[in-house]
Amino acid sequence: MSIAVAGVSQRFGDVTALDDVTFTLTGPKLVVILGPNGAGKTTLLDLIEGLAEPTAGRVSLFGDPVRPEAYPRRKIGVVMQKEFVLDGVTVGDYAELFASIYEVDGGRARSLERAELAGRAPVSVDRLSGGEAQRLFIAAASVHDPEILFLDEPTSELDPENKRRIGEVLRRQAERALVVMTTH
């Protein structure tokens, strides 16, 4: 499990979001990318996740260049800064969706247990607290036990207790995966 970013720059017109960024990460471990709002953290994750191509430089996962047509989706889990959830989708349905996408038998129950939400399965996701929702998103994104897990500001807008609980979840994930999260 490795990530290599070599000489990566990203420009949007006259704005330089990233300028000659180079690093290598191997896991399992937890890595935090820290910076103020607008520093390019989400842009960097977008490049590593194959959602955009850098203006310059290259990004590799598991020793291979990141290419949308050959992205190692089965080895990756992603929690976006703003997760999209359809109106009225229940906690159980959300967990089942990701279990189905990754073809994980018993994945619904595994996700609900990991998120500590087994008793909330019939509740609409939009009725969850911020901390509950983040635990669900993390559990669903990692239901297939990915080798690398990306999280974009998973603790923003959470109270201290929920930040602590998310930290515990991520430390457990980092025992067996490379966990990369951004925060300000």
Side-chain angles (χ1 to χ4, degrees), residues 55-135:
T55 306
R58 67 183 189 287
V59 178
S60 300
L61 293 174
F62 307 101
D64 296 320
V66 170
R67 295 187 337 267
E69 68 277 3
Y71 195 78
R73 285 173 180 77
R74 289 274 186 205
K75 296 181 179 185
I76 304 293
V78 175
V79 178
M80 306 292 248
Q81 192 171 35
K82 301 283 185 199
E83 281 293 313
F84 175 76
V85 179
L86 294 170
D87 289 338
V89 169
T90 68
V91 170
D93 288 344
Y94 190 88
E96 181 65 36
L97 172 64
F98 280 81
S100 296
I101 289 170
Y102 290 110
E103 300 173 342
V104 177
D105 289 336
R108 178 184 190 270
R110 180 191 307 181
S111 289
L112 294 175
E113 180 181 323
R114 286 181 179 175
E116 300 174 9
L117 294 171
R120 308 271 321 229
V123 174
S124 178
V125 173
D126 61 6
R127 303 280 302 160
L128 296 177
S129 71
E132 289 172 326
Q134 279 303 97
R135 290 195 318 269

